[in-house]
Amino acid sequence: MLTRQSANLVALLGFGEIRVFSPQRPESLPGHAEWVQDPGCRLPITNRSAFIGLLDSEARVNALRIDRDRAFVNLIHPTAVNETATLDGNVFIDAFGFVGLEARLSPGVVLNSRTTVEHDNVIGEGVTFGTGATLCGRVEVGAHAFVGAVVRPQIRVAAHTMIGAGAVLVSDVPEAGVYFGSPARRLER
């Protein structure tokens, strides 16, 4: 459903070509949008193009690197981002998301609804935040991580790590893995 709504919205905003990058064909793709299975392909660019990133954070970031001249759709409320924050481009901030003072977000970051990224955080490329995630100050999150937790100040999270929804992270995560609970613990296989 999100794909159809997003594609319809960018069509209403006047974008010409609409391409949806996804490993699998979305079920609800509208007729005016083109599905692109290979995010690394080079497509002809008009003066305005729209991009909807889906599913895989690495595929999303690779698609962002294809051509920096493309116009990508970013739906961000002006009060959601502190004027001192840096968004390196192609960041999605959902309803009631917030980015605080001096925070830095790399390309391909997704903040789902009610996510808060407080002051002085550094977020790697392709990171996805679950609904309601909260990062206190001076947190560093490595590339392609998923964070659905409350993270206390001055924590480092390794790249490709998954912090489960509702978890509370109170110490550094030096290596990738799946973490859950309060306090968050690594899921051992």
Side-chain angles (χ1 to χ4, degrees):
M1 188 56 117
L2 178 61
T3 304
R4 176 175 292 283
Q5 291 171 343
S6 300
N8 286 338
L9 178 60
V10 295
L12 286 172
L13 292 172
F15 284 81
E17 299 174 30
I18 299 173
R19 298 186 188 102
V20 177
F21 292 82
S22 174
Q24 299 174 1
R25 183 176 178 80
E27 293 177 22
S28 62
L29 188 67
H32 59 276
E34 174 189 358
W35 170 53
V36 181
Q37 186 171 18
D38 178 8
C41 71
R42 295 199 52 91
L43 299 170
I45 299 169
T46 60
N47 55 355
R48 294 190 81 191
S49 306
F51 170 88
I52 301 170
L54 296 172
L55 303 176
D56 180 12
S57 67
E58 289 186 45
R60 185 171 60 248
V61 169
N62 288 336
L64 297 176
R65 290 182 178 146
I66 293 171
D67 195 323
R68 301 208 183 264
D69 293 333
R70 284 195 179 149
F72 294 105
V73 174
N74 291 301
L75 307 174
I76 301 173
H77 192 278
T79 62
V81 180
N82 183 282
E83 62 187 24
T84 64
T86 302
L87 278 58
D88 286 341
N90 305 304
V91 170
F92 176 80
I93 300 176
D94 204 348
F96 307 108
F98 176 74
V99 179
L101 184 75
E102 298 291 331
R104 291 191 326 230
L105 279 63
S106 299
V109 171
V110 175
L111 274 72
N112 281 298
S113 180
R114 302 186 188 283
T115 298
T116 301
V117 175
E118 283 292 343
H119 66 89
D120 300 299
N121 288 302
V122 178
I123 311 303
E125 65 181 19
V127 172
T128 299
F129 291 96
T131 299
T134 300
L135 270 68
C136 295
R138 295 184 176 86
V139 174
E140 292 182 29
V141 180
H144 309 293
F146 173 85
V147 180
V150 173
V151 181
R152 82 170 186 87
Q154 301 180 2
I155 296 289
R156 290 194 170 147
V157 177
H160 301 280
T161 296
M162 177 180 278
I163 312 294
V168 178
L169 191 60
V170 296
S171 59
D172 287 350
V173 175
E175 65 178 282
V178 177
Y179 295 78
F180 67 97
S182 177
R185 293 181 187 88
R186 184 179 174 133
L187 175 65
E188 299 298 332
R189 294 187 179 191

